[in-house]
């Protein structure tokens, strides 16, 4: 029997490959960052060819690190930064433009025009989403409208669209397979989450030729095989899911009412709502969690655009820290933020505010505020944003979570996790393996090929590392949250007149 399942985790700032064994243990890990392009304020792009070459590179590295062969790998599972939009030529495989990243705000005004046409309820009912530049649909329209010749070529059937998993599967199969999974399709603002089909009315509104779109399939199913050129033999590609839905699966939140929060570049809280979509009244979006065993699970999601990215900003732009890990030590050098607040609305605000024009702000500065206070306030901003989303989730679902399951790169930060427990006034549970995104993709792929027999087998692999319990008084919590509520308002609408 094959020894491993290979997860390809194509994140926003880096690509990773992890080989998992049957017990869900990480047997080999390789990771590489890739270039971020910021061509204009609020715009974010990646080079799709670099996404592919980096992803293939780490896969080959992870395999060779433990001397594995293709036949040792039961299946490949893919998980990815969602919404990021790639258009390429069907024949040459060349992207016609850089990948437009989920964080990119270039279509904010066009989104406003859709709202002004009174389409908010239509989009919500069909796609589960709010109209926002975050999602793929308007990014795809932008490419067709702005790249010379793209619309004509698309109408002639020469171009293909995909989010990152579609692109990677297409590359891995050398152009044989053009698919997406339901969880990724549900982030495009073009997919009807009730009928599980591309929505003709929306495609007409956005003027998108249907022939460009991939076939939408369940998240756990064999889409095709990787070409033998890449790993010295064929490997079935057995699963794909957006990274946040994969993390929900990796955290084994299989039942309605179970939730997780992932602290990566952004921060995303998802609650499984079972086999029926629940539509939010409090600024959350409805999304497909996964398609598995002939059924579809839905989730409520609170999407926070900037979380770990704010720590990168402290490191790369302000140069206040040498590494993201240092933020913990630095934050602990002071007992509070000395009254200052950071609102990292660098690419607008997502849930529950949904302000495309919000921009970052630093308020409450007095003469005594030093770099440690600013670092601490930046970490705290993640906790406040998560609290805003958690309150919305409580209101929508009526469920008071007994504890919050966390994961993602920044969940390693103990200061951050303790403050999170303090602010939400509930325990925070961190599992031993915080690579739940990759783990979820591995589970979906492994289940498709029988490497794991069923979900019950994988539940056994979840184990806790540490629980953080609330330690501050209600009075202190309220004071901190009131300050945040005041601060966040200063970020609203900042770039509207530019
Ligand atoms: N110890 C830490 N404290 C705070 N932030 C951290 C820490 N370690 C990593 N991060 C942040 O977490 C992010 C990386 O997490 P990861 O889950 O790999 O993200 P992604 O999948 O979005 O690329 C980076 O933005 C980094 O700044
Ligand atoms: O790169 P991450 O892990 O922050 O995830 C990005 C999300 O998928 C965007 O929706």
């Amino acid at each position: 029997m094959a020894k491993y399942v290979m997860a390809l985790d194509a994140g926003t700032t880096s690509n990773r490959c992890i080989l998992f064994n049957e017990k869900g243990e990480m047997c080999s890990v390789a990771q590489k960052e890739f270039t971020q392009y910021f061509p204009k304020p609020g715009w974010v792009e990646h080079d799709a060819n670099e996404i592919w070459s980096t992803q293939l590179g780490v896969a080959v590295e992870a395999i060779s690190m433990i001397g594995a062969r293709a036949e040792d790998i039961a299946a490949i599972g893919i998980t990815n930064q969602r919404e990021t939009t790639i258009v390429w030529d069907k024949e040459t495989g060349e992207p016609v433009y850089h990948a437009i990243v989920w964080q990119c705000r270039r279509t904010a005004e066009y989104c406003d025009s859709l709202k002004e046409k009174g389409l908010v309820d239509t989009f919500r009912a069909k796609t589960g989403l709010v109209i926002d530049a975050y999602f793929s649909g308007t990014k795809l329209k932008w490419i067709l409208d702005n790249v010379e010749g793209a619309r004509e070529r698309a109408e002639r059937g020469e171009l293909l669209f995909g989010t990152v998993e579609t692109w990677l599967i297409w590359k891995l199969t050398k152009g044989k397979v053009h698919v997406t999974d339901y969880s990724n399709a549900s982030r495009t603002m073009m997919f009807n989450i009730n009928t599980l089909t591309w929505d003709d009315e929306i495609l007409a509104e956005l003027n998108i030729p249907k022939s460009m779109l991939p076939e939408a399939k369940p998240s756990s199913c064999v889409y095709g095989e990787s070409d033998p050129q890449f790993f010295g033999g064929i490997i079935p590609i057995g699963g794909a899911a957006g990274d946040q839905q994969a993390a929900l699966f990796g955290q084994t939140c299989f039942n309605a009412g179970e939730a997780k929060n992932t602290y990566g570049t952004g921060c995303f809280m998802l609650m499984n709502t079972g086999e029926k979509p629940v539509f939010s009244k409090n600024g959350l979006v409805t999304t497909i969690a996964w398609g598995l065993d002939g059924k579809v699970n839905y989730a409520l999601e609170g999407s926070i655009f900037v979380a770990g990215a704010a720590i990168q900003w402290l490191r790369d732009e302000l140069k206040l820290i040498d590494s993201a890990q240092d933020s913990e030590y630095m934050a602990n050098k002071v007992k509070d933020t000395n009254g200052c607040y950071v609102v990292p609305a660098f690419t607008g605000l997502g849930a529950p505010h949904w302000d495309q024009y919000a921009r970052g702000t630093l308020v409450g500065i007095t003469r005594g505020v030093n770099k440690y206070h600013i670092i601490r306030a930046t970490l705290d901003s993640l906790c406040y944003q998560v609290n805003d989303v958690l309150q919305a989730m409580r209101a929508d679902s009526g469920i008071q979570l007994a504890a919050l399951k966390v994961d993602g790169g920044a969940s390693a930060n103990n200061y951050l996790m303790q403050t999170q427990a303090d602010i939400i006034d509930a325990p925070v549970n961190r599992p031993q393996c915080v690579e739940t995104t990759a783990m979820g993709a591995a589970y979906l792929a492994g289940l498709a090929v029988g490497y794991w027999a069923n979900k019950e087998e994988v539940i056994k692999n979840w184990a806790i590392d540490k629980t953080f319990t609330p330690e501050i008084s209600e009075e202190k919590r309220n004071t901190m949250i009131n300050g945040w509520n005041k601060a966040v308002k200063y970020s609203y609408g900042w770039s509207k007149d530019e």
Side-chain angles (χ1 to χ4, degrees):
M1 187 186 163
K3 295 181 201 153
Y4 313 109
V5 173
M6 178 160 87
L8 303 182
D9 180 356
T12 307
T13 53
S14 73
N15 285 335
R16 236 166 298 188
C17 173
I18 306 181
L19 298 187
F20 289 95
N21 66 14
E22 226 180 320
K23 292 185 198 151
E25 292 163 340
M26 298 196 289
C27 302
S28 184
V29 184
Q31 177 172 8
K32 196 167 189 303
E33 289 201 8
F34 53 82
T35 320
Q36 309 288 314
Y37 296 91
F38 306 108
K40 290 187 187 181
W43 288 33
V44 190
E45 296 179 358
H46 293 156
D47 175 346
N49 281 326
E50 193 185 356
I51 292 178
W52 161 241
S53 60
T54 315
Q55 190 62 74
L56 180 63
V58 291
V60 170
E61 191 184 339
I63 292 175
S64 60
M65 272 159 72
I66 50 166
R69 292 163 309 161
E71 54 268 36
D72 295 327
I73 299 168
I76 299 173
I78 298 179
T79 182
N80 53 287
Q81 51 160 323
R82 307 166 303 167
E83 300 97 12
T84 297
T85 299
I86 306 172
V87 177
W88 66 95
D89 185 291
K90 207 189 235 177
E91 291 304 318
T92 65
E94 251 332 284
V96 303
Y97 190 76
H98 269 174
I100 303 185
V101 178
W102 58 276
Q103 296 161 318
C104 189
R105 304 276 92 201
R106 78 185 62 193
T107 58
E109 279 181 14
Y110 175 66
C111 288
D112 286 346
S113 73
L114 292 175
K115 290 182 201 166
E116 280 154 18
K117 276 173 112 174
L119 292 171
V120 171
D121 291 342
T122 307
F123 272 88
R124 182 179 291 114
K126 286 168 177 278
T127 68
L129 305 175
V130 298
I131 296 174
D132 194 273
Y134 174 27
F135 304 106
S136 320
T138 63
K139 299 180 196 294
L140 172 53
K141 179 179 165 52
W142 188 94
I143 291 176
L144 296 182
D145 290 344
N146 290 279
V147 175
E148 207 185 323
R151 181 164 295 286
E152 294 71 25
R153 288 165 72 193
E155 274 160 9
R156 288 198 299 267
E158 294 167 14
L159 301 185
L160 299 177
F161 153 80
T163 41
V164 171
E165 83 301 346
T166 301
W167 169 242
L168 293 177
I169 294 171
W170 195 84
K171 293 296 269 184
L172 281 168
T173 60
K174 284 214 161 162
K176 288 201 183 80
V177 180
H178 185 225
V179 290
T180 183
D181 89 294
Y182 295 150
S183 73
N184 273 297
S186 73
R187 312 300 297 182
T188 60
M189 221 173 87
M190 298 183 284
F191 193 68
N192 190 314
I193 61 168
N194 309 292
T195 59
L196 305 181
T197 54
W198 299 110
D199 192 279
D200 289 327
E201 195 187 340
I202 292 180
L203 296 182
E205 178 63 46
L206 301 182
N207 198 8
I208 308 284
K210 203 174 189 173
S211 60
M212 303 184 75
L213 306 181
E215 184 184 355
K217 291 195 160 188
S219 315
S220 180
C221 84
V222 176
Y223 307 110
E225 288 159 343
S226 66
D227 190 273
Q229 180 203 332
F230 300 123
F231 308 119
I234 56 162
I235 308 176
I237 304 168
D243 54 7
Q244 303 310 322
Q245 290 94 328
L248 190 69
F249 203 83
Q251 288 269 29
T252 67
C253 295
F254 299 146
N255 299 311
E258 294 179 340
K260 68 85 207 183
N261 191 38
T262 302
Y263 301 77
T265 305
C267 197
F268 300 86
M269 191 187 296
L270 270 77
M271 179 185 277
N272 186 335
T273 60
E275 289 170 34
K276 291 232 151 33
V278 172
F279 291 90
S280 175
K281 293 188 173 60
N282 295 283
L284 304 178
V285 299
T286 306
T287 204
I288 294 181
W290 50 75
L292 174 73
D293 297 336
K295 293 181 200 146
V296 165
N297 261 76
Y298 293 87
L300 270 173
E301 171 173 326
S303 330
I304 295 164
F305 295 155
V306 173
I311 313 306
Q312 287 175 331
W313 169 73
L314 293 177
R315 184 192 66 183
D316 301 339
E317 265 69 43
L318 298 194
K319 312 229 183 283
L320 295 183
I321 49 177
D322 291 331
S323 71
Q325 288 75 4
D326 284 356
S327 62
E328 179 173 346
Y329 167 78
M330 302 281 212
N332 279 319
K333 296 265 270 183
V334 285
K335 65 177 187 354
D336 56 30
T337 67
N338 205 356
C340 81
Y341 286 85
V342 170
V343 183
F346 304 149
T347 54
L349 284 170
H353 311 277
W354 295 109
D355 184 340
Q356 306 191 98
Y357 302 100
R359 290 297 179 265
T361 185
L362 172 53
V363 292
I365 313 165
T366 49
R367 182 66 181 78
V369 167
N370 63 34
K371 72 171 186 174
Y372 304 116
H373 296 122
I374 293 174
I375 293 165
R376 190 172 171 123
T378 306
L379 285 168
D380 289 2
S381 74
L382 275 57
C383 305
Y384 293 123
Q385 294 186 93
V386 168
N387 185 50
D388 287 344
V389 162
L390 184 71
Q391 299 311 329
M393 204 150 278
R394 279 179 180 160
D396 274 334
S397 68
I399 293 171
Q400 194 84 356
L401 285 178
L404 184 63
K405 277 183 170 179
V406 297
D407 55 62
S411 71
N413 187 313
N414 291 319
Y415 168 80
L416 181 68
M417 293 299 101
Q418 182 56 52
T419 308
Q420 189 66 83
D422 290 341
I423 298 292
I424 63 171
D425 194 21
V428 165
N429 285 334
R430 183 171 65 195
Q432 281 173 9
C433 176
V434 292
E435 296 287 355
T436 51
T437 298
M439 201 173 214
Y443 287 159
L444 287 164
L447 285 166
V449 297
Y451 183 79
W452 289 286
N454 48 43
K455 286 188 284 185
E456 286 62 44
E457 263 196 13
V458 305
I459 283 184
K460 287 187 275 180
N461 294 339
W462 194 92
I464 201 154
D465 162 47
K466 192 167 160 57
T467 296
F468 299 84
T469 45
E471 285 174 354
I472 62 171
S473 68
E474 196 180 338
E475 190 190 350
K476 183 161 182 204
R477 178 178 309 113
N478 289 339
T479 307
M480 290 171 79
I481 293 173
N482 288 342
W484 165 259
N485 289 340
K486 214 163 125 187
V488 82
K489 294 204 170 68
Y490 286 104
S491 72
Y492 284 172
W494 184 262
S495 70
K496 182 75 186 153
D497 305 326
E498 278 169 17

